[in-house]
Structures are given as structure tokens and as C-alpha cells.
């Protein structure tokens, strides 16, 4: 394995350590409250399932599908962007259906990256944002994950000091794991910067519909002229609770969409046609399911912030996304995110995602996913309280000796 160049570029997947511990604990009969993986637990709305069942009964739909998405699905995504963001998209040239946004990012990296190309990625961030480009032979340069002046200072430094000059930057708002949100004014500045320096922008908007406060998250494509430099990736996994269906989109800049579509044409035949038909029905079916899913996550967020705070773990309330980005509790920071996550799992039977898995700048935090119901979240908080109290009552050996 060590002889394979691409494998050598990938560090050990830190989530695997926690996953192994979870599996071992469950094998021994432990009741693990799993707040680690961002795997939606809510059922897919019944109307979407019914459309899948109806379509799959037609034997013609068992054939190979369309790699870039069937026309009806691309038209549905373009219509969604028109309603939600006021953005006009050409479904033939500016919309590509992907096997989830993760596959879209990975294959976009394959399409546009030459060996040694530099790409700017947030740190901490969802792993594919960086490792998709590493696997494609590129190099990554980190930038802050939170929108603000320091991010633009980092972009300016990158343009001056990177050799070669960066070809693209990745943005993710609402962000995973940090749950940061961005205003349209921020995107206007990003587009202006990208045009000035001839850099593409790859925007991840997977959590566009999971928001709890303020205005709905904007799309970078709402900025005039953004399609000259930007594409945006969305996913139906969270919006419609369809994670296993693997359906997402890349929309925007026609040149980038064409490059992605060409790579995909060599690699896949697209999602199973009944899935694409059902996805189109979901996009055309109105916002009621989206609102219900959003409200469920909001109730879970409120339960998490309230109950964990009472347990002694102060967690900032996320404005959006299905995650809380939680600082390691006071007095336990020395453990680091991986060891803290392992001990929390072993002693409290509560699983969270170690922040180091999203980049070295995440090691002071863990990510908590809102993928258990309110009762289970409050149950987790009681276990967390016992865990924190136990660790705070431990007297260091050096102190006992004195």
C-alpha cells in the first residue's frame, strides 16, 4: 500500500478510530448515542418514496441512465434555483447532476487539477474539500473557515506567495463543521477578488435549507457576474433527508460544468433513473417537506444547546447546518479532540466527531451532529454531565503527592 502515490498523500482517516470503538462497544451491548456522523436519521418524505416505487416498476428505467442527469431533473434543479435564489440557470449547460455533492467535488478536482496546482481550502473543513484535490495531484493551501477580513488577508497572501498561483478556492457556507454563515455582501467581495486574480470559486451549499435564524443562506450565484468564475454544489441528502440516495448537483459556470460532465461521462452512467425521477419530483413538489425537516433540526439544536449547557458543556448555538461546533469542555482541552472523543465514547457512550478530522485547526473542537431525537439528546447530556463531573473530580498525581 505504501507504494501507491495517491494513498501516501492521504493521512489515516481519524474517524475510523472512533468508528472502531463504536463498533466494539456495540458488540458488547453498549447503547451508543451516535452524534458523530452527519447521517440524517429522518425518513425520506413519503411522496418521494412513492415516486421512486412507481418509476422503478417500469422495466425501461432499469437501463443505463444519463451521466449528467436526465433532462427533467436538470430542469427541476434550474427551477429550484429560480424560485429560491432568483438565479436563472440553463439546464443544458449550467446544471450537472452528481452522485451527491461529495462525488461532485472529487470529480471536479479530477477535471480541473494538474499536478502541482494550488487550491485554497478552508481549515477546518469537510475532508473532500481538500483531499479531492490532493488525490488529483494538486496542493492545498489553508485559509480561515470563518468569513471575515482575515479570510481575505489569507487570500491576498496566497496569491502573492503561492507558486504557482492558486487556480481555485473552496467555500462552504453554512459551513461543515463550523456552522458559519455568510452574507451576500461577502460573496460579492469573493467574486470581485476571484475575477481580479482569475481564480475559480467552488461553493458548497449543501446546507442551504437547514437554517434557524435570520435570512435564508444566499447562493454565491446571486452575485451579478458570479457565473463567470463560480460553480455551486448542492445536495438532496439533508434538504430532503435522502442521504443514501446519493443525489446532488453542480450548477453555474458553463466551462466548469462541461469539464465535470466530461469526466463523469468516462466514470459513471449517473444515478439510477428512478432515483433521478423521484429527485425531480421532490424539487418540483413544494417546500412543505423542507420546512418540516428544518423545524425538526431546530428543535434538536435547542435541546442540545440547553441540555448540554446544563450538563456543564457550553455549546455555541449554530445558526444553520445540522451540526454544532463545540469547544472541548473547560479543563479537558489538554486531551485534544481525538482523545477526548475516544474517552467520551468509552466512558459516556456518546459519540462525536473529533475536530482534527476536519483539519489541524479543528483540534480544539468536536462536531456534534443533530441526528438523534430530542429525548436521546437529553439522555446524552446526562451521560456527558457524569463524564465531566468525574474528570473534574480527578486529582492529578502531582497534586496528591504534595
Amino acid at each position: 500500500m505504501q507504494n501507491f502515490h495517491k494513498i501516501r498523500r492521504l493521512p489515516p482517516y481519524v474517524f475510523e478510530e472512533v468508528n472502531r470503538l463504536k463498533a466494539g462497544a456495540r458488540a458488547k451491548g453498549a447503547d451508543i448515542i451516535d452524534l458523530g456522523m452527519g447521517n440524517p436519521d429522518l425518513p425520506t418524505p413519503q411522496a418521494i418514496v412513492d415516486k421512486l416505487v412507481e418509476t422503478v416498476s417500469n422495466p425501461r428505467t432499469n437501463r443505463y441512465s444519463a451521466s449528467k442527469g436526465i433532462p427533467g431533473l436538470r430542469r427541476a434543479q434550474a427551477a429550484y434555483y429560480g424560485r429560491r435564489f432568483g438565479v436563472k440557470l440553463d439546464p443544458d449547460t449550467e446544471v450537472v447532476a452528481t452522485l451527491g455533492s461529495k462525488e461532485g467535488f472529487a470529480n471536479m478536482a479530477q477535471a480541473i487539477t494538474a499536478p502541482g496546482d494550488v487550491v485554497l481550502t478552508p481549515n477546518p473543513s469537510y475532508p473532500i474539500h481538500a483531499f479531492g484535490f490532493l488525490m488529483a495531484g494538486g496542493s492545498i493551501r489553508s485559509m480561515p473557515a470563518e468569513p471575515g477580513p482575515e479570510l481575505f488577508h489569507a487570500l491576498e497572501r496566497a496569491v502573492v506567495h503561492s507558486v504557482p498561483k492558486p487556480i481555485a478556492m473552496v467555500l462552504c457556507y453554512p459551513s461543515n463543521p463550523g456552522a458559519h454563515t455568510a452574507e451576500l455582501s461577502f460573496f460579492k467581495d469573493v467574486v470581485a477578488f476571484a475575477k481580479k486574480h482569475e481564480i475559480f470559486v467552488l461553493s458548497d451549499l449543501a446546507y442551504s435549507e437547514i437554517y434557524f435564524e435570520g435570512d435564508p443562506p444566499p447562493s454565491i450565484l446571486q452575485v451579478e457576474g458570479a457565473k463567470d468564475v463560480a460553480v455551486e454544489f448542492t445536495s438532496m441528502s439533508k434538504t430532503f433527508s435522502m442521504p443514501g440516495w446519493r443525489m446532488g448537483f453542480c450548477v453555474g459556470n458553463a466551462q466548469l460544468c462541461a469539464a465535470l460532465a466530461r469526466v463523469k461521462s468516462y466514470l459513471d452512467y449517473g444515478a439510477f433513473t428512478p432515483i433521478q425521477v423521484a429527485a425531480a419530483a421532490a424539487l418540483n413538489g413544494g417546500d412543505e417537506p423542507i420546512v418540516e425537516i428544518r423545524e425538526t433540526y431546530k428543535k434538536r439544536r435547542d435541546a442540545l444547546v440547553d441540555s448540554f449547557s446544563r450538563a456543564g458543556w457550553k455549546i455555541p448555538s449554530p445558526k444553520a447546518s445540522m451540526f454544532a461546533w463545540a469547544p472541548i469542555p473547560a479543563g479537558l482541552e489538554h486531551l485534544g479532540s481525538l482523545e477526548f472523543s475516544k474517552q467520551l465514547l468509552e466512558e459516556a457512550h456518546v459519540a462525536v466527531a473529533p475536530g482534527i478530522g476536519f483539519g489541524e485547526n479543528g483540534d480544539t473542537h468536536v462536531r456534534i451532529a443533530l441526528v438523534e431525537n430530542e429525548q436521546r439528546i437529553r439522555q446524552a447530556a446526562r451521560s456527558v454531565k457524569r463524564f465531566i463531573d468525574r474528570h473534574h473530580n480527578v486529582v492529578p498525581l502531582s497534586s496528591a503527592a504534595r
Side-chain angles (χ1 to χ4, degrees):
M1 186 75 72
Q2 294 303 314
N3 294 324
F4 299 138
H5 171 69
K6 288 186 178 180
I7 300 301
R8 289 203 309 270
R9 302 199 79 193
L10 297 175
Y13 202 50
V14 298
F15 302 118
E16 279 304 310
E17 288 197 52
V18 179
N19 290 340
R20 280 197 298 271
L21 289 174
K22 273 193 293 191
R26 282 176 171 147
K28 296 175 182 178
D31 177 22
I32 302 298
I33 302 176
D34 194 349
L35 306 175
M37 188 175 179
N39 192 5
D41 65 312
L42 299 175
T44 304
Q46 190 60 44
I48 303 173
V49 176
D50 291 344
K51 177 57 71 171
L52 172 73
V53 173
E54 172 194 329
T55 309
V56 79
S57 63
N58 181 348
R60 292 184 61 85
T61 63
N62 292 326
R63 298 178 174 184
Y64 290 129
S65 193
S67 178
K68 66 181 291 186
I70 60 176
L73 177 59
R74 286 184 278 114
R75 287 195 297 268
Q77 175 69 351
Y80 164 76
Y81 257 76
R83 294 191 310 271
R84 172 69 163 81
F85 303 111
V87 171
K88 184 176 181 180
L89 295 171
D90 184 332
D92 293 325
T93 61
E94 296 175 336
V95 179
V96 177
T98 62
L99 305 179
S101 59
K102 187 174 185 178
E103 176 267 315
F105 261 98
N107 281 328
M108 181 63 79
Q110 294 291 333
I112 70 174
T113 310
D117 277 348
V118 176
V119 176
L120 307 174
T121 62
N123 187 339
S125 190
Y126 187 51
I128 198 65
H129 293 158
F131 292 110
F133 292 96
L134 286 175
M135 285 188 284
S139 299
I140 57 171
R141 180 173 178 135
S142 295
M143 63 184 190
E146 190 168 359
E150 183 51 40
L151 187 149
F152 285 100
H153 295 330
L155 293 179
E156 293 285 358
R157 291 193 300 270
V159 169
V160 172
H161 297 294
S162 297
V163 179
K165 186 191 76 174
I167 63 164
M169 73 174 84
V170 175
L171 300 177
C172 180
Y173 301 106
S175 62
N176 176 9
H180 306 299
T181 56
E183 304 292 334
L184 191 58
S185 58
F186 167 80
F187 287 130
K188 289 179 180 178
D189 292 339
V190 167
V191 170
F193 180 91
K195 287 189 172 186
K196 176 182 177 182
H197 296 288
E198 299 182 326
I199 296 174
F200 285 121
V201 182
L202 312 179
S203 170
D204 186 343
L205 195 61
Y207 300 94
S208 61
E209 299 295 357
I210 311 299
Y211 60 91
F212 313 121
E213 299 168 10
D215 296 330
S219 161
I220 192 172
L221 300 181
Q222 290 175 248
V223 178
E224 185 177 356
K227 284 196 288 185
D228 295 338
V229 293
V231 289
E232 194 154 63
F233 294 85
T234 56
S235 168
M236 300 189 73
S237 296
K238 283 77 181 179
T239 303
F240 292 97
S241 198
M242 297 168 61
W245 299 53
R246 307 314 304 134
M247 181 53 60
F249 300 92
C250 173
V251 305
N253 180 271
Q255 179 187 358
L256 291 176
C257 285
L260 173 61
R262 183 158 184 183
V263 166
K264 282 176 61 62
S265 71
Y266 282 91
L267 299 176
D268 67 68
Y269 288 106
F272 187 35
T273 295
I275 290 178
Q276 296 195 48
V277 172
L283 290 167
N284 291 330
D287 291 343
E288 183 177 347
I290 299 174
V291 173
E292 291 180 3
I293 290 170
R294 182 188 304 137
E295 283 301 311
T296 299
Y297 283 125
K298 184 178 187 299
K299 291 176 182 176
R300 292 179 177 186
R301 178 205 66 169
D302 293 343
L304 176 78
V305 172
D306 173 67
S307 62
F308 275 52
S309 295
R310 292 174 183 271
W313 189 356
K314 301 295 183 184
I315 296 179
S317 182
K319 295 181 179 179
S321 85
M322 58 182 289
F323 306 111
W325 186 232
I328 296 173
L332 299 175
E333 302 95 336
H334 63 283
L335 294 175
S337 63
L338 180 56
E339 184 60 28
F340 170 78
S341 299
K342 290 162 66 175
Q343 291 191 24
L344 185 68
L345 176 62
E346 291 171 335
E347 299 178 32
H349 293 168
V350 175
V352 296
I356 189 68
F358 304 96
E360 66 272 20
N361 292 345
D363 201 25
T364 58
H365 288 63
V366 297
R367 191 191 71 178
I368 304 176
L370 304 174
V371 292
E372 293 271 13
N373 63 40
E374 295 162 62
Q375 178 182 347
R376 294 278 282 173
I377 288 172
R378 294 187 185 280
Q379 179 185 341
R382 292 191 290 271
S383 296
V384 164
K385 177 174 173 51
R386 290 191 292 270
F387 173 84
I388 291 175
D389 289 346
R390 184 163 56 248
H391 278 263
H392 283 173
N393 289 332
V394 171
V395 179
L397 289 177
S398 58
S399 298
R402 290 196 296 270

